[in-house]
Amino acid sequence: MRKIKYYYNTHTLRFEKLEVPLRVRILQVIGFIAATLVTGILLVLLVFQFVDSPKEKLLRQQNRDLAENYTLIQERVKQLEVQMQELEDRDNNVYRTIFESTPIPDSARTRIIETKNEIKLLEGQTETELVNNIKNQLNNLTLRVVYQGKSYGDIDSMIKNKEKLLLAIPAIQPVSNKNLNRIASGFGYRIDPVYKVTKFHAGLDFAAPLGTPIYATADGVVQTAGFNTGGYGNEVVINHGYGYQTLYGHMYKVKAREGELVKRGEVIGYVGSTGKSTGPHCHYEVHKNGKPVDPIYYFYNDLTPAQFDRILKLAATANQSLD
C-alpha cells in the first residue's frame, strides 16, 4: 500500500494531501535511473583500474607466454645463424678448397650482415612486427639450409668424380725417408755444385745409396722414361692429369716405360748419379699447370704434423744442391 504524504498549508491552516504532478514524477524517475547508471559506470571503471577482467587476465597471460616464446625463439634463431655460418664457411674454406672448386659467392647466399641487421631491428617493435620478423628469419634460414643442402650434394658429386684427382695428387716422398735425413737440398735458389753460382733449384734432392728404389708419388701415365741430355740423366716424367706432373732425375736404372700406367707407391727406377750430379740422389720435381711448385707441401700422406714441421725446416736450409 502506497504511503500518503501530507503538508501543512499556511494559508488554510490545515494539513492537506500532497499531490505530485506526473511530469515531476517522470523527471524524478529519469533522474534516479541516470544517477544510478553514472554511479555504476564510475564504480566499474574504478574497480577495473585495479582488478582485471577475466578476458584481460587471459590476454595478460598470453602476452607473458608470447614474450617468453619470443626470447626462446630469438635465441634459437641466433644459434641457428651461427651454425649456418659455420657450415657455409666450412663449405667454402675446407670442402671446396680440398676439391679445388670455386667457393660459392656471398651474392648466391643470404649475407650474414643482413641477418644481423634484422636481429637488431627486433628491438622496439610491436609483437606483430616481432612475429613477422621472426617468421622472415626462419624463412631465411630455411632457404639457406636448402641451398646448403644442394651445395653438399654438389660436393658429394665432386667426391665421386674426383676420387681420381685425390689419387693423382703427388702425396708421398719419392724415396723411403723414415728418419727424415735424406733431403739434401730444397726448393728455391741454391748454390750450383758445378758452376758455384746461385741458381733456381726447381725441386728437392733426396740423397740415398746407389740403387735405392724410387717410387711414383701418385697415379699417372709415364710420359718420359730414358736419358735426358739437359742434365737430369736417366729420368722419368709422369703425367698425373688434373694439371699435375712429377719428374724424377739422375736414376741409375729406369724401370718404368713410356705410356705405362703406374700407381702411387710403385717402383719406377733406382737412385743413381747420372747427368749433372755430384753424388747419388733423386732429384724430384712437382709441376702444377706447367709451373714448378715446392714438393715439400705435398707430403701429407706419409708424414705426421711434427715430421712435416721438421722436414719443412730441413728443406728451407740454404745450401748447395746436388745437381
Side-chain angles (χ1 to χ4, degrees):
M1 181 177 178
R2 193 178 67 172
K3 186 177 181 181
I4 300 173
K5 293 183 178 181
Y6 295 88
Y7 74 98
Y8 183 73
N9 190 333
T10 57
H11 297 287
T12 61
L13 301 176
R14 330 175 24 181
F15 285 99
E16 294 181 1
K17 186 177 179 182
L18 181 62
E19 296 290 343
V20 180
L22 180 60
R23 181 176 58 83
V24 174
R25 287 182 178 278
I26 293 173
L27 289 175
Q28 288 177 343
V29 171
I30 293 174
F32 176 77
I33 294 173
T36 302
L37 288 175
V38 170
T39 303
I41 291 171
L42 291 174
L43 288 173
V44 169
L45 291 176
L46 184 62
V47 169
F48 282 171
Q49 287 296 319
F50 302 99
V51 181
D52 289 338
S53 67
K55 186 176 181 180
E56 286 178 331
K57 289 181 178 179
L58 179 61
L59 289 175
R60 287 184 187 278
Q61 182 59 45
Q62 289 177 343
N63 286 338
R64 284 193 293 269
D65 293 341
L66 286 173
E68 292 177 0
N69 288 334
Y70 289 150
T71 303
L72 293 175
I73 291 173
Q74 288 180 27
E75 288 299 321
R76 183 56 182 155
V77 167
K78 290 178 182 178
Q79 292 173 6
L80 290 174
E81 287 287 352
V82 172
Q83 293 172 0
M84 195 67 230
Q85 185 62 35
E86 289 177 353
L87 289 174
E88 290 171 350
D89 289 343
R90 189 182 302 173
D91 184 359
N92 274 348
N93 300 326
V94 179
Y95 302 139
R96 289 180 178 272
T97 299
I98 290 174
F99 295 104
E100 299 183 345
S101 175
T102 304
I104 298 176
D106 288 340
S107 58
R109 304 182 190 269
T110 303
R111 293 181 183 272
I112 190 66
I113 187 68
E114 294 177 358
T115 305
K116 289 181 179 178
N117 289 337
E118 286 181 1
I119 293 175
K120 290 180 181 178
L121 288 174
L122 290 177
E123 299 177 359
Q125 293 182 335
T126 64
E127 291 176 358
T128 301
E129 291 172 328
L130 280 172
V131 170
N132 290 334
N133 231 310
I134 291 174
K135 181 176 69 175
N136 291 336
Q137 288 184 59
L138 292 176
N139 289 338
N140 185 303
L141 279 172
T142 300
L143 293 175
R144 289 170 68 184
V145 168
V146 171
Y147 199 93
Q148 193 59 47
K150 180 179 180 299
S151 177
Y152 283 148
D154 294 340
I155 290 174
D156 184 59
S157 298
M158 291 180 198
I159 293 173
K160 293 177 181 177
N161 294 333
K162 292 194 175 182
E163 288 177 353
K164 292 182 179 180
L165 167 62
L166 297 179
L167 294 174
I169 297 175
I172 63 173
Q173 298 176 85
V175 298
S176 179
N177 190 22
K178 293 180 180 179
N179 296 325
L180 307 181
N181 57 359
R182 286 187 167 174
I183 293 185
S185 183
F187 181 89
Y189 286 93
R190 297 291 187 272
I191 298 173
D192 187 283
V194 176
Y195 303 109
K196 302 300 180 182
V197 295
T198 301
K199 295 179 64 177
F200 183 72
H201 191 239
L204 298 178
D205 288 340
F206 288 85
L210 192 71
T212 300
I214 298 175
Y215 306 101
T217 57
D219 293 4
V221 177
V222 177
Q223 181 176 311
T224 302
F227 190 80
N228 176 281
T229 57
Y232 288 127
N234 291 326
E235 70 168 6
V236 170
V237 177
I238 300 176
N239 185 353
H240 304 283
Y242 304 98
Y244 288 102
Q245 278 186 327
T246 52
L247 180 150
Y248 313 77
H250 310 296
M251 291 184 179
Y252 160 71
K253 179 181 179 182
V254 175
K255 181 176 182 294
R257 296 290 177 264
E258 288 187 13
E260 181 183 3
L261 178 65
V262 294
K263 297 291 184 180
R264 177 183 291 149
E266 184 176 336
V267 176
I268 57 174
Y270 302 91
V271 171
S273 187
T274 57
K276 187 171 77 70
S277 170
T278 57
H281 74 285
C282 171
H283 175 82
Y284 174 65
E285 295 181 10
V286 174
H287 291 226
K288 181 71 168 74
N289 296 324
K291 296 181 179 180
V293 294
D294 194 341
I296 201 74
Y297 296 108
Y298 287 85
F299 299 148
Y300 51 80
N301 260 26
D302 59 353
L303 293 176
T304 65
Q307 289 174 323
F308 177 76
D309 183 64
R310 181 183 170 191
I311 202 172
L312 195 65
K313 292 176 182 177
L314 291 172
T317 303
N319 56 7
Q320 178 177 288
S321 64
L322 296 178
D323 50 31

